[in-house]
Amino acid sequence: MLKTTLIKVVFLWKHFTFEAMQYFIDVILPIPLERLFTYSITRAEHGFIKPGMRVAVPFGKNKIYTALVYNSHQNQPEVYEAKAIHQILDDYPIVNDYQIKLWSWISKYYMCTLGDVLRAALPSAFLLESETIISKNEHANIEDSKLKDDEFLVYEALQHQSALKVNEISNILDKSNILPVLKRLLEKKTIVVEEEIFEKYKPKLVRYVKLNTNYSSDEALHRLLENLTRAPKQSAVVIALFSLTANKSKPIKVSELLTRSNASSAQIKTLIDKQILEEYFIQTDRIQYSGAENESIKTLNLYQENTLNEVIQSFKKHDVTLLHGVTSSGKTELYVKLIDEVLKSGKQVLYLLPEIALTTQLVNRLQHYFGEQVAVYHSKYSLNERVEVWNQVLNNLDKARIILGARSSVFLPFNNLGLIIVDEEHELSYKQFDPAPRYHARDTAIVLASLFNAKTLLGSATPSIESYFNATKAKKYGFAKLNRRYNDILMPEIELVDIKDKHKRKRMKGHFSDRLIEEMTVALQEDQQIILFQNRRGFSPIVECTTCGHSPQCPNCDVSLTYHQFKNQLRCHYCGYNMSMLLNCLACGSVDLDSKGFGTEQIEEEVKTLFPDYKVGRMDLDTTRGKYGYEKIITAFEQHEIDILVGTQMLTKGLDFRNVKLVGIMNADNMLNFPDFRAHERSFQLMLQVAGRAGRTAERGKVLIQTYNPYHKILQQVSNNDYISMFNEQLDERCNYKYPPIFRLIKITLKHREYNKVNVGADWLAKSLKQIFNTNVLGPEFPPISRIRNQYHKNILIKIPDNQSLSKTKEAILKIKNSFMSVKDFRPIRVILNVDNY
Ligand code: ADP
Ligand code: ZN
Ligand code: ZN
């Protein structure tokens, strides 16, 4: 009897616990936590929540974060009590399983947390948190009546204070859970999330006018015109506007109205003040598709056709194929063909480019073929624009079938991807350097494509040693080649100019050899354009006192300050520190200051003196800030408003200029002597790419390379356009010195303000690593610039042979890192892991 009762009780108890079953979700928080974090949810929420949705959650004492749901389950966490979520923020997932899989791969492979990946992946407007700064959207026309009470309170507060932290807003509303309110305001475009880097950028606004709605009836308009009979000019404006509106349904720009009515801006303003006209603004984007007629896709020539077939055949056996096609061979036209095929099957295409190669030139070219299906995604875009593209991709809309994007577009929520093109695949800027995730977009793209069983095409005129190795030696990738320029234009003729000899024989004017001046003169006389390449910006990188030898240094970094003549400043290129140019030496007071080395600014100056009758432009980091800074210079050059363009490596990025006859490389040596195992490969690529800008149409181009060392083997290889001997020689060296692609690299960087702390910590860490990896640990070593922004850096390099398990290696490193971090003295040291260091 007793027994059965007991059984009954147990049964009931079990039943009871079942009834009170608790529900949990694991979420990714956008902070570098090693693990997922668990929150409790109600049963109703459990029925609704899906992985990939956002939730607002409390964290720590009084922080609120936007987190992403990873999974849901019923296991209470053992070591902490799960807090309840504040609220579900989405009606449907904003990322899908593919992204979560990709993120997990990134986090494992690049040794970072899922939180790091989340932060990099989502546009920050998706990730509101307590510290986020919110401000009013200055460009929105907001109707108070459309705002709910709580929304209005926020809006009103922002009228008085231009920017508020989420925290502060939550005090104003007197509730902790305000993310949903902010989300609604964002959707109504009432508020914007502060973007530190881009606050200086103002979207281009075009001013439009319309007739006040009071005058929309014929009768009212009649009366208005009668009233205006004594102001004939104003009346003419109204009539002009009326006729413009009648002829086209589009909004009328103020500028159009001005031309049509011959009125002055003041007259239009009067009409606006009188509330007869209404002005409004629309944000325009040069990249917006203008609706121009579609062009049909170009017919490939025989060589291109053959190569396209090679690619298609190769894709039957390989998921990844490398296309080695010389500059101006028509790689882009080939991509277009492939894209067209994939689009027909209803799939999405990702077209990756290095950030600064992403120009209106290319966007326009693709839009001509594919119209509105092309969407652009890169960091110079505003948050709203990025959110829009995100949603278009998520919903697989026709508006975003082809994503033309920089590095971070590998994170977009694709759900039906068919093809990825990685153009200029050799570009180092595909690798994110800081902060984590330190991912390589090319390699990540390959993994992304594989999740969809999609193909990846890597394209370059100067492939990376890694990819060429993978294609031709390791046979991991397929390979296709296109070694003829379109229209059979010859590759430019490359001439090496020995400036040591020229100096000796007094044949130099400033930094220009007589040969360069001769060729420039000829090109200019023929009305051709010239590009001059110098891999340094500023005027001169070192200012030196001729009396005592002192040169001004950055107070925060271990580098000399660079002289910028235009602003008459000394600037640090690492931290941005600047001061006015010195009149006297800081150490001895002497006025004899000399400058050494030269940058783009100085070249520009010299060109102006040498060729005073011609227009000179400069393209480097200093002249291309702002959203369209770069575009403006390119357009000016395209339109031949500039005859001679001086620039840094920005010039090398896939630009298609019609009229450039001559390219001058001012000094090849500083590239070649750079202390990095990739310096030679990189110099080869830079020089051939910039050379490739010459003679793209009709006439054969000419390239002059000035150097102190014309017998340098890389320069010989460049002048013979001999990629293969460059590759073989570099591969030998990589083999001998244990570098990629033969070995893999993981770089560990320690950073701290105190020199000693970094030293002691690095020694400890290197010693522990050597116990496992022996001689494959290099360092610790200070890099050439050992202090940046007041932080000392010290590096340890781990070389991983092919036959050593990568995942086990990483496990061992993480274990050692954890014991390092458990030493109290070392805890303040930042330890940065960089896998496949570039
Ligand atoms: P790459 O990307 O290899 O540098 P592009 O695709 O930019 O070369 O081609 C160079 C130029 O030649 C472009 O202006 C392009 O429009 C033109 N071109 C290439 N192939 C063709 C073709 N089959 N028909 C017409 N023009 C072409
Ligand atoms: Zn001095
Ligand atoms: Zn500095």
Side-chain angles (χ1 to χ4, degrees):
M1 180 64 196
L2 190 68
K3 209 173 160 193
T4 50
T5 324
L6 199 63
I7 287 169
K8 250 189 191 158
V9 168
V10 168
F11 177 77
L12 275 172
W13 174 244
K14 273 206 161 155
H15 194 68
F16 177 71
T17 52
F18 180 75
E19 275 303 310
M21 192 63 99
Q22 282 184 292
Y23 296 92
F24 299 94
I25 49 171
D26 294 339
V27 303
I28 310 173
L29 282 160
I31 44 176
L33 287 178
E34 292 299 330
R35 270 166 234 221
L36 297 172
F37 218 72
T38 307
Y39 287 88
S40 70
I41 49 173
T42 65
R43 189 177 175 150
E45 285 168 338
H46 175 79
F48 186 76
I49 283 185
K50 292 191 196 73
M53 285 185 185
R54 288 173 301 159
V55 286
V57 296
F59 187 77
K61 260 206 199 111
N62 44 23
K63 283 215 153 132
I64 298 173
Y65 281 112
T66 301
L68 196 85
V69 179
Y70 186 83
N71 60 2
S72 57
H73 57 82
Q74 296 173 347
N75 314 318
Q76 179 132 19
E78 280 169 16
V79 288
Y80 56 96
E81 190 174 347
K83 291 187 196 164
I85 64 165
H86 276 321
Q87 183 144 9
I88 302 170
L89 292 175
D90 290 312
D91 297 331
Y92 53 86
I94 59 159
V95 304
N96 53 44
D97 285 353
Y98 294 107
Q99 278 77 56
I100 306 262
K101 273 190 197 131
L102 183 72
W103 298 3
S104 305
W105 177 82
I106 292 175
S107 125
K108 276 214 186 70
Y109 187 86
Y110 292 106
M111 302 175 84
C112 61
T113 69
L114 273 172
D116 288 327
V117 187
L118 175 69
R119 197 171 262 297
L122 294 190
S124 48
F126 276 141
L127 286 176
L128 296 173
E129 61 184 42
S130 354
E131 299 295 313
T132 305
I133 295 171
I134 302 289
S135 54
K136 198 174 69 169
N137 184 355
E138 301 291 346
H139 310 300
N141 273 329
I142 292 142
E143 288 174 49
D144 300 354
S145 58
K146 294 239 170 90
L147 299 178
K148 291 189 185 169
D149 287 353
D150 50 1
E151 294 169 5
F152 185 73
L153 277 177
V154 177
Y155 175 64
E156 200 186 36
L158 286 169
Q159 310 278 357
H160 301 297
Q161 223 171 323
S162 59
L164 286 169
K165 281 190 183 169
V166 169
N167 265 346
E168 296 166 329
I169 296 177
S170 101
N171 289 339
I172 292 168
L173 293 189
D174 196 23
K175 60 178 184 180
S176 59
N177 181 20
I178 60 156
L179 296 192
V181 182
L182 297 181
K183 188 186 163 229
R184 275 186 265 126
L185 284 168
L186 273 174
E187 282 163 1
K188 291 183 182 167
K189 305 207 159 101
T190 309
I191 58 169
V192 289
V193 175
E194 197 84 20
E195 296 169 88
E196 274 172 54
I197 326 164
F198 305 107
E199 31 186 33
K200 283 182 224 97
Y201 159 69
K202 274 219 169 69
K204 191 172 156 204
L205 290 177
V206 174
R207 204 163 140 234
Y208 290 87
V209 274
K210 59 184 179 200
L211 203 60
N212 192 307
T213 40
N214 291 341
Y215 303 106
S216 49
S217 73
D218 284 356
E219 199 193 338
L221 185 64
H222 239 77
R223 243 181 298 127
L224 171 66
L225 288 173
E226 262 164 35
N227 287 340
L228 284 179
T229 40
R230 263 173 297 137
K233 256 296 162 194
Q234 293 179 19
S235 150
V237 173
V238 175
I239 292 171
L241 179 62
F242 186 73
S243 67
L244 276 173
T245 324
N247 285 337
K248 50 191 239 181
S249 50
K250 280 198 202 147
I252 309 298
K253 289 181 195 152
V254 172
S255 55
E256 267 176 282
L257 183 57
L258 280 172
T259 346
R260 174 63 77 99
S261 64
N262 266 326
S264 67
S265 322
Q267 283 157 340
I268 292 192
K269 178 153 188 309
T270 313
L271 285 167
I272 293 169
D273 291 344
K274 283 176 149 181
Q275 301 197 337
I276 295 171
L277 300 187
E278 246 176 72
E279 67 175 338
Y280 60 109
F281 294 87
I282 301 179
Q283 185 172 325
T284 62
D285 199 319
R286 276 191 53 178
I287 276 172
Q288 243 166 39
Y289 179 54
S290 56
E293 268 104 81
N294 277 27
E295 246 176 62
S296 51
I297 290 173
K298 297 199 161 71
T299 318
L300 299 185
N301 66 25
L302 207 62
Y303 306 103
Q304 293 169 334
E305 196 65 56
N306 282 340
T307 307
L308 178 65
N309 283 332
E310 277 177 44
V311 171
I312 292 169
Q313 289 308 317
S314 160
F315 274 153
K316 290 189 178 151
K317 282 181 260 157
H318 298 277
D319 288 336
V320 184
T321 292
L322 172 66
L323 168 61
H324 182 194
V326 296
T327 50
S328 205
S329 55
K331 292 185 290 298
T332 317
E333 305 299 338
L334 224 121
Y335 302 153
V336 165
K337 286 273 183 200
L338 287 169
I339 293 172
D340 195 41
E341 283 305 310
V342 174
L343 289 182
K344 281 183 195 149
S345 66
K347 294 193 171 181
Q348 299 165 309
V349 176
L350 171 61
Y351 189 137
L352 275 176
L353 274 157
E355 183 88 30
I356 60 174
L358 199 52
T359 57
T360 25
Q361 271 193 329
L362 182 73
V363 177
N364 288 339
R365 210 165 143 188
L366 289 186
Q367 281 176 337
H368 276 136
Y369 295 138
F370 300 113
E372 275 197 317
Q373 302 177 87
V374 182
V376 183
Y377 193 76
H378 70 126
S379 69
K380 280 196 175 173
Y381 269 39
S382 77
L383 284 180
N384 280 338
E385 288 168 305
R386 272 183 275 165
V387 168
E388 266 165 36
V389 175
W390 185 282
N391 288 328
Q392 287 162 356
V393 174
L394 180 68
N395 298 312
N396 204 358
L397 298 187
D398 279 344
K399 263 191 137 172
R401 285 256 178 257
I402 308 165
I403 299 297
L404 198 52
R407 192 168 69 202
S408 64
S409 48
V410 294
F411 293 117
L412 282 167
F414 297 102
N415 46 57
N416 193 15
L417 195 60
L419 172 70
I420 302 183
I421 287 161
V422 185
D423 197 15
E424 313 284 352
E425 68 81 31
H426 62 279
E427 267 297 321
L428 300 188
S429 60
Y430 275 129
K431 177 80 155 83
Q432 175 150 314
F433 177 65
D434 216 26
R438 296 178 174 79
Y439 65 104
H440 197 301
R442 174 195 61 213
D443 302 342
T444 306
I446 291 173
V447 175
L448 173 66
S450 74
L451 295 174
F452 291 90
N453 286 321
K455 304 292 177 188
T456 309
L457 183 65
L458 313 177
S460 174
T462 52
S464 63
I465 302 275
E466 275 88 347
S467 297
Y468 201 79
F469 176 83
N470 282 332
T472 61
K473 301 268 171 187
K475 311 270 183 204
K476 266 200 262 178
Y477 304 163
F479 183 64
K481 216 156 89 177
L482 186 55
N483 45 16
R484 221 175 247 263
R485 286 189 140 186
Y486 177 68
N487 254 350
D488 281 332
I489 296 167
L490 291 172
M491 294 300 283
E493 183 194 341
I494 300 182
E495 176 181 328
L496 300 171
V497 180
D498 182 348
I499 44 178
K500 197 157 130 203
D501 177 64
K502 295 284 182 195
H503 272 294
K504 223 174 5 193
R505 297 197 282 143
K506 306 253 181 293
R507 297 257 170 96
M508 295 290 290
K509 277 193 188 150
H511 296 94
F512 290 77
S513 62
D514 55 353
R515 278 295 296 135
L516 185 52
I517 294 174
E518 266 165 43
E519 290 293 339
M520 286 176 75
T521 313
V522 172
L524 291 172
Q525 274 164 3
E526 290 172 359
D527 203 25
Q528 302 268 6
Q529 289 173 296
I530 299 170
I531 286 179
L532 297 177
F533 172 75
Q534 167 61 8
N535 211 17
R536 265 187 185 149
R537 64 197 166 96
F539 192 81
S540 55
I542 296 173
V543 173
E544 204 177 66
C545 167
T546 49
T547 312
C548 77
H550 174 81
S551 65
Q553 303 283 309
C554 174
N556 312 319
C557 315
D558 280 343
V559 290
S560 315
L561 295 170
T562 299
Y563 174 43
H564 285 238
Q565 191 187 49
F566 181 68
K567 290 193 167 161
N568 199 33
Q569 273 182 341
L570 292 170
R571 301 187 68 92
C572 171
H573 286 183
Y574 286 83
C575 72
Y577 171 88
N578 58 75
M579 62 194 274
S580 336
M581 177 59 185
L582 302 169
L583 298 172
N584 305 86
C585 169
L586 284 174
C588 75
S590 157
V591 292
D592 289 330
L593 298 177
D594 194 13
S595 55
K596 281 188 174 172
F598 62 102
T600 43
E601 213 187 358
Q602 193 167 0
I603 296 302
E604 185 191 8
E605 283 295 300
E606 291 183 10
V607 176
K608 282 181 180 162
T609 340
L610 287 170
F611 299 97
D613 300 333
Y614 293 90
K615 279 247 171 68
V616 189
R618 172 157 62 93
M619 183 151 85
D620 55 28
L621 214 56
D622 298 320
T623 60
T624 54
R625 295 185 205 277
K627 194 175 188 181
Y628 298 122
Y630 184 61
E631 242 81 55
K632 271 189 209 138
I633 298 174
I634 292 174
T635 311
F637 195 55
E638 262 177 350
Q639 303 298 321
H640 210 147
E641 287 160 27
I642 295 173
D643 300 298
I644 304 161
L645 185 60
V646 181
T648 55
Q649 46 159 321
M650 281 188 174
L651 286 173
T652 61
K653 303 298 176 318
L655 296 170
D656 189 21
F657 296 122
R658 322 260 76 195
N659 204 26
V660 177
K661 172 79 185 297
L662 177 68
V663 167
I665 295 177
M666 301 308 296
N667 178 321
D669 307 300
N670 53 30
M671 283 183 268
L672 288 166
N673 298 334
F674 196 74
D676 180 274
F677 74 93
R678 279 183 222 276
H680 286 179
E681 173 190 358
R682 178 101 187 103
S683 309
F684 180 90
Q685 289 161 340
L686 271 177
M687 282 187 264
L688 267 194
Q689 291 284 349
V690 69
R693 302 312 115 209
R696 288 174 72 89
T697 38
E699 242 185 295
R700 188 173 187 194
K702 173 120 198 159
V703 181
L704 289 188
I705 304 180
Q706 302 195 132
T707 171
Y708 283 94
N709 189 2
Y711 300 103
H712 196 293
K713 55 187 187 216
I714 288 289
L715 293 178
Q716 294 296 327
Q717 287 152 0
V718 169
S719 56
N720 298 326
N721 195 6
D722 191 352
Y723 179 88
I724 294 182
S725 43
M726 185 283 294
F727 171 79
N728 286 330
E729 212 162 272
Q730 292 302 309
L731 193 64
D732 265 359
E733 289 196 3
R734 305 278 176 93
C735 230
N736 292 339
Y737 299 104
K738 301 189 176 178
Y739 277 112
I742 313 298
F743 280 63
R744 285 174 185 275
L745 295 183
I746 296 178
K747 184 163 91 174
I748 305 179
T749 304
L750 289 83
K751 285 189 194 177
H752 193 265
R753 291 181 79 87
E754 287 166 41
Y755 179 82
N756 258 337
K757 221 183 207 17
V758 172
N759 250 343
V760 175
D763 283 342
W764 188 100
L765 195 57
K767 217 167 120 193
S768 317
L769 289 165
K770 278 175 187 164
Q771 279 170 7
I772 301 184
F773 304 115
N774 306 317
T775 54
N776 284 332
V777 179
L778 260 66
E781 205 172 341
F782 284 111
I785 295 161
S786 60
R787 190 179 51 122
I788 296 176
R789 294 174 191 269
N790 281 319
Q791 301 269 325
Y792 285 95
H793 292 209
K794 204 161 189 182
N795 294 331
I796 300 169
L797 200 59
I798 300 172
K799 294 180 170 180
I800 306 162
D802 203 27
N803 56 6
Q804 180 177 320
S805 152
L806 197 57
S807 56
K808 290 216 174 95
T809 307
K810 288 175 185 166
E811 265 169 44
I813 293 174
L814 284 179
K815 223 164 144 191
I816 292 172
K817 184 189 163 204
N818 282 340
S819 8
F820 178 86
M821 287 308 199
S822 66
V823 179
K824 188 160 155 274
D825 243 19
F826 296 156
R827 214 165 294 150
I829 302 179
R830 271 189 71 199
V831 178
I832 292 164
L833 301 174
N834 191 337
V835 179
D836 294 345
N837 167 53
Y838 275 75

